[in-house]
Amino acid sequence: MTLIVVNAVASAKGGGATILRQFLSSLDEESYYHVFVSDLSVLDGVLPRGNVVVHPVGEKKLASRLWWDYVGLGLFLRGNDIVPNLVVSMQNTPSYIWHDVPQVVYLHQAIPISDFRFSFFSKMERSLWFYKTLYPIFMRGFPSRRRVYVCQATWMRVPFSNLLRVPLENVRVYRPNAGLMDVCELREIDAESREAFFVYPAASHIYKNHTVLVGAAALLKNSSPQFYRSLRILLTIEPGDPTVVPLIDAAGVLDAFEFVGHLPHNKLMALLSKPSCVMLFPSRIETIGLPLIEASYSGCFILAADLPYSKEVLRGYRRVRFVCATDPQRWADEMVASGASEGFVERNGCDSGDNDEMGWVEFVSFLNRFAKVD
């Protein structure tokens, strides 16, 4: 049986963990898998098949993770007599072992191909500066003719081909997806309130662009006081967050925001499935914006940044307005419109837009074929 090694020690939380769980849930019985993760909690209910062996190797910070990629994984495989036919890295960077085998690198970090500038001298931006300027060196790794990169959206292919200096045919697209039926079943979870509220499920990174929502709330406070009094914007950050909360406080609009902290996936989906929910998504850097897929599957009305990632992932979806990512007045206007128009929040059954993209089943099938290439 074909043996595939999956390196995913960096996929410990957030979107990376969601992607890993979706991938593991899609594995078939055609190959035998050794999957390396930080700890078993990342599986979160995913029950591996009998042909999948999971190795928890402990949490890896950036330096220790790079050591693992370049040295540690190879030592482990050699010490346990594991000789794979294919190595799959689910964390943007190649993994190295002492065997000449093909490799697939899954890309889900858009910072290196963004036009956003970060400052090395800002404590809050220094790690982002690293991902923008130095991380591409590790993503390229040592040259290899037997390596294929996989990204999540078509718009990423050309930028990554240029960044990684590989032929375009070596950059493929397989799009992740949400559990459509599971999401649809949450549709009727709450119908007692018709008062619109807004939710933005994102961390507090500067590129997530909370600033434009703060500006929009400040404009609404002055121009639409009646609407502002009922304004509820739920943010999935902690009340003491040092990046976003001071901005909101300085603008005098703390009463318009609720800080709900990290939401487990099922609770977020329950929120998105409420008839009165409107998702805000002004992020300026995403690969696809996984919450957008989940919101579209739940039939949620969406206000999204007018950028390539959102236009692609929501192509064909009817309940979305695209808004200039840097214009708080436009966000304010669209928030008023979405809250005032019942048609924006009405549900008409599941509508997930176009679903003809290559997904997890096709990705796993590709891995099985690629592992058998001499």
Side-chain angles (χ1 to χ4, degrees):
M1 182 178 283
T2 303
L3 178 58
I4 298 177
V5 164
V6 179
N7 185 21
V9 299
S11 303
K13 58 184 178 180
T18 300
I19 291 298
L20 177 60
R21 288 192 290 271
Q22 289 185 7
F23 169 64
L24 294 179
S25 298
S26 303
L27 295 181
D28 57 23
E29 297 180 356
E30 186 172 336
S31 297
Y32 195 84
Y33 299 88
H34 283 274
V35 181
F36 294 85
V37 298
S38 57
D39 62 73
L40 295 178
S41 65
V42 74
L43 301 182
D44 192 24
V46 176
L47 299 177
R49 300 170 181 266
N51 59 320
V52 179
V53 178
V54 180
H55 303 274
V57 297
E59 183 179 1
K60 304 291 183 185
K61 299 297 185 182
L62 182 58
S64 59
R65 191 205 119 188
L66 292 175
W67 182 91
W68 169 262
D69 287 347
Y70 280 81
V71 180
L73 177 61
L75 288 176
F76 184 97
L77 297 181
R78 175 180 284 187
N80 290 274
D81 295 322
I82 300 172
V83 182
N85 302 99
L86 175 69
V87 175
V88 180
S89 171
M90 294 297 292
Q91 50 198 39
N92 305 300
T93 55
S95 306
Y96 292 94
I97 63 173
W98 286 276
H99 300 282
D100 184 23
V101 299
Q103 183 162 173
V104 174
V105 180
Y106 190 86
L107 304 168
H108 50 88
Q109 175 56 267
I111 290 176
I113 56 173
S114 74
D115 58 2
F116 213 103
R117 293 179 176 272
F118 303 102
S119 172
F120 172 81
F121 300 101
S122 168
K123 182 178 180 181
M124 290 188 295
E125 297 182 26
R126 194 166 296 141
S127 63
L128 302 175
W129 174 88
F130 170 84
Y131 280 107
K132 172 68 177 177
T133 60
L134 299 182
Y135 196 55
I137 298 173
F138 297 99
M139 297 175 73
R140 296 184 195 109
F142 299 124
S144 172
R145 292 179 296 178
R146 307 185 71 190
R147 184 187 306 142
V148 170
Y149 290 89
V150 169
C151 57
Q152 298 175 328
T154 302
W155 75 267
M156 302 166 64
R157 285 190 73 211
V158 171
F160 268 125
S161 174
N162 294 334
L163 178 76
L164 300 172
R165 303 168 188 167
V166 297
L168 188 59
E169 59 266 25
N170 286 356
V171 183
R172 297 173 176 246
V173 178
Y174 294 97
R175 171 179 158 174
N177 46 44
L180 178 56
M181 296 308 297
D182 292 341
V183 173
C184 290
E185 290 172 359
L186 293 169
R187 174 64 49 75
E188 304 300 329
I189 198 166
D190 176 38
E192 76 276 3
S193 172
R194 300 300 300 166
E195 181 179 325
F197 69 95
F198 303 90
V199 59
Y200 181 26
S204 60
H205 304 306
I206 185 173
Y207 61 83
K208 294 295 184 179
N209 199 25
H210 290 82
T211 304
V212 77
L213 300 183
V214 177
L219 290 170
L220 291 170
K221 185 175 184 178
N222 294 323
S223 64
S224 305
Q226 183 175 352
F227 179 84
Y228 179 83
R229 282 194 290 271
S230 62
L231 182 61
R232 294 175 60 213
I233 303 176
L234 277 60
L235 302 180
T236 56
I237 61 177
E238 299 296 332
D241 181 86
T243 305
V244 175
V245 175
L247 294 176
I248 298 174
D249 191 18
V253 290
L254 268 175
D255 54 333
F257 291 85
E258 296 181 26
F259 309 101
V260 298
H262 171 72
L263 286 178
H265 184 261
N266 63 329
K267 291 188 178 180
L268 173 60
M269 296 315 306
L271 273 181
L272 297 178
S273 298
K274 291 184 178 182
S276 51
C277 180
V278 176
M279 175 185 275
L280 304 174
F281 211 82
S283 179
R284 293 179 61 185
I285 301 179
E286 298 289 333
T287 52
I288 55 170
L290 194 58
L292 293 178
I293 297 178
E294 296 168 330
S296 68
Y297 281 173
S298 72
C300 184
F301 185 73
I302 304 169
L303 297 178
D306 189 2
L307 292 169
Y309 76 85
S310 59
K311 300 293 279 289
E312 179 172 337
V313 76
L314 295 173
R315 184 179 70 250
Y317 187 63
R318 297 190 297 272
R319 300 182 185 92
V320 60
R321 292 283 181 86
F322 296 103
V323 189
C324 175
T326 57
D327 188 343
Q329 184 63 64
R330 286 289 308 279
W331 284 90
D333 294 343
E334 294 293 353
M335 288 164 69
V336 171
S338 65
S341 174
E342 190 138 323
F344 282 179
V345 295
E346 190 63 37
R347 301 297 196 260
N348 295 315
C350 271
D351 178 359
S352 56
D354 292 345
N355 287 297
D356 56 349
E357 291 89 352
M358 303 279 275
W360 288 119
V361 173
E362 293 80 7
F363 179 52
V364 172
S365 178
F366 163 69
L367 296 181
N368 288 321
R369 295 194 308 271
F370 194 47
K372 296 173 182 176
V373 173
D374 293 329

